[in-house]
Amino acid sequence: MANTILVGAQWGDEGKGKIIDVLTEQADVVVRYAGGNNAGHTVYVGKQKYVLHLIPSGILRKNKLCVIGNGVVIDPIGLVEEINGLAKLGVKIAKNFVVSETAHVVFPYHRELDARRETVKGKNKIGTTKRGIGPAYGDKAARVGLRISDLVDPVLLKEKLSKRIAENNGVLKALGGKPLSFKKVYADYLAAGVFLKPFVANTVVLLHQKMQGGARMLFEGAQGTFLDIDHGTYPFVTSSNTTAGGACTGSGVPPHRMDRVVGVMKAYTTRVGEGPLPTENAAISDLLHGMGREFGSTTGRARRCGWFDSVATRHAAMVNGIDDLAITNLDGLDTLETIRVCVAYRRGKELYDFMPNDAQVLAECVPVYVEFEGWQTPTDKARTFKALPPKARAYLKAISELTGARLYIASVGPGRDQTIFV
Ligand code: GDP
Ligand code: IMO
Ligand code: MG
């Protein structure tokens, strides 16, 4: 493995954390390049569960450098909590962890604005994680954001933050929100800046030095293709480029240094938050929720569930240039007699074999399904492709063919060992 980008090929929560943790064994450096603590990546090491929000999932392996790249937005209070939480569980975070000095900072007014805007939108809300992600990326694009280099400089922090609080208190008031105290925010962020300063570096230069030294890099995507600000179901998206291109802009590693793209997808579909989900199905949701599965790692919300949508994953393969597929949660379908896969959409007389760009048009699409016979056998103990029931193998091969990328990994449980390299 040389340099690999790993992306979510659906609506997030595809099992990226688990697959990153498995692939980290073959990497030297793991880089987060987009999103913020809206992400929740679950990794099990034995019985111990870890949920990572900002820190790359590679942190759970020894002697791996974990980097938060410039494309990420960082809530420093959340990051300090995450570091301390992991330390309590015995995870060492020292020289193996670096934060970009040009990553943007999420402040309490971003979170407040996120929440207020959702309330104002009423039934048209996005269903955000309320982590302030949209407003923070908004400030970055408007060129008024503070970066980590500002956070760790008490003078710059004071000067810039006082102006931003004054402006944002006005906006918050107009939206019916409460103004924030500069003194309190400054004190909290100053302390977080002092804590984080030893981890801060010019990560672009660092990553290039590592590459020159022959390091193998793994780029950990957050969210998923259809939550991408450009390629997702706008406006029901997050505010960053979660797709493969984001790995370059969000880290400073150029496209010609990327060797392959791994697309992670569930053997079915889930989404958390609002927006179109063509294959959504109440019976599948009930089945998975009944098994205690598909509750959000960050917000605890029940995820909406549906059949596998190959129109969507084919589109994801196209936009990301997916070479290899990691298909997770195969075991979630173990009990089903019949399994459906969406192969096209119908809207009135129109038949679509691609994802329409307009979220309203997509919401009006009805899936065209093909059916597969279920294997009705537990798969969670299988450790080789051959050990899977023939019908499960046929299903995996079919969704790989329909998506148009190589079948690389099949995952049959949350554990490290429940991973089949095909
Ligand atoms: P991420 O955001 O893409 O990292 O995914 P999440 O961690 O939010 O959600 C994926 C969930 O599926 C987590 O609870 C994982 O532990 C779990 N998971 C991942 N792969 C498998 C699998 O193959 N089978 C089962 N049963 N659970 C899995
Ligand atoms: P990981 O990395 C699933 C969704 C939210 C909402 C929309 C916008 O764990 O896959 P935001 O707070 O980003 O402004 O919310 O995006 N969302 C996710 N859904 N997994 C995630 O991350 C998500 N991050 C954001 O639910 O619909
Ligand atoms: Mg998640």
Side-chain angles (χ1 to χ4, degrees), residues 97-138:
F97 178 58
V98 183
V99 179
S100 167
E101 58 196 6
T102 59
H104 276 247
V105 180
V106 180
F107 284 97
Y109 48 82
H110 293 129
R111 281 200 306 276
E112 287 295 320
L113 284 171
D114 194 353
R116 288 311 307 165
R117 283 181 188 150
E118 285 283 272
T119 306
V120 170
K121 282 198 180 97
K123 68 174 178 38
N124 297 321
K125 73 177 196 289
I126 297 165
T128 74
T129 60
K130 300 206 174 113
R131 298 293 190 274
I133 305 298
Y137 277 115

Side-chain angles (χ1 to χ4, degrees), residues 375 386-395:
W375 43 94
K386 260 179 128 177
L388 286 171
K391 285 174 185 162
R393 275 184 268 158
Y395 179 72

Side-chain angles (χ1 to χ4, degrees), residues 1-7 19-20 22-27 33 216-221 243-245 247-248 253-264 317 320-326 405-409 419-422:
M1 186 177 88
N3 295 341
T4 298
I5 303 173
L6 181 139
V7 290
I19 302 297
I20 284 282
V22 168
L23 294 183
T24 298
E25 209 174 10
Q26 316 160 20
Y33 61 84
R216 299 158 301 171
M217 325 257 272
L218 186 52
F219 294 85
E220 177 173 352
T243 44
C248 294
V253 175
H256 76 285
R257 301 304 304 266
M258 301 299 186
D259 299 296
R260 72 162 176 168
V261 180
V262 174
V264 186
N320 294 293
I322 295 175
D323 301 296
D324 292 329
L325 297 181
R406 267 191 310 263
L407 180 57
Y408 170 51
I409 287 175
T419 311
I420 298 169
F421 284 88
V422 181

Side-chain angles (χ1 to χ4, degrees), residues 328-382:
T328 68
N329 287 274
L330 183 70
D331 53 306
L333 303 177
D334 283 351
T335 56
L336 292 170
E337 209 176 306
T338 307
I339 301 170
R340 297 172 123 191
V341 170
C342 169
V343 291
Y345 303 142
R346 196 180 292 285
R347 181 172 163 265
K349 289 202 174 80
E350 260 179 295
L351 198 66
Y352 292 86
D353 63 355
F354 61 91
M355 287 269 283
N357 278 321
D358 188 306
Q360 186 50 42
V361 171
L362 184 59
E364 288 162 16
C365 284
V366 178
V368 177
Y369 288 114
V370 293
E371 288 191 348
F372 291 82
E373 272 181 60
W375 43 94
Q376 298 189 281
T377 313
T379 55
D380 61 319
K381 302 228 162 33

Side-chain angles (χ1 to χ4, degrees), residues 13-17 40-42 293 297 303 329 331 411-414:
D13 302 328
E14 296 90 347
K16 299 176 293 296
H41 296 177
T42 315
R293 296 161 70 138
S297 320
R303 295 175 183 149
N329 287 274
D331 53 306
S411 170
V412 292

Side-chain angles (χ1 to χ4, degrees), residues 48-56 59-60 79-93 97:
Q48 182 63 54
K49 177 183 177 179
Y50 301 88
V51 182
L52 298 138
H53 299 287
L54 278 162
I55 298 173
I59 202 76
L60 303 174
L79 180 55
V80 171
E81 268 172 26
E82 195 170 331
I83 293 171
N84 288 336
L86 286 170
K88 270 195 200 132
L89 295 172
V91 180
K92 188 177 141 244
I93 299 180
F97 178 58

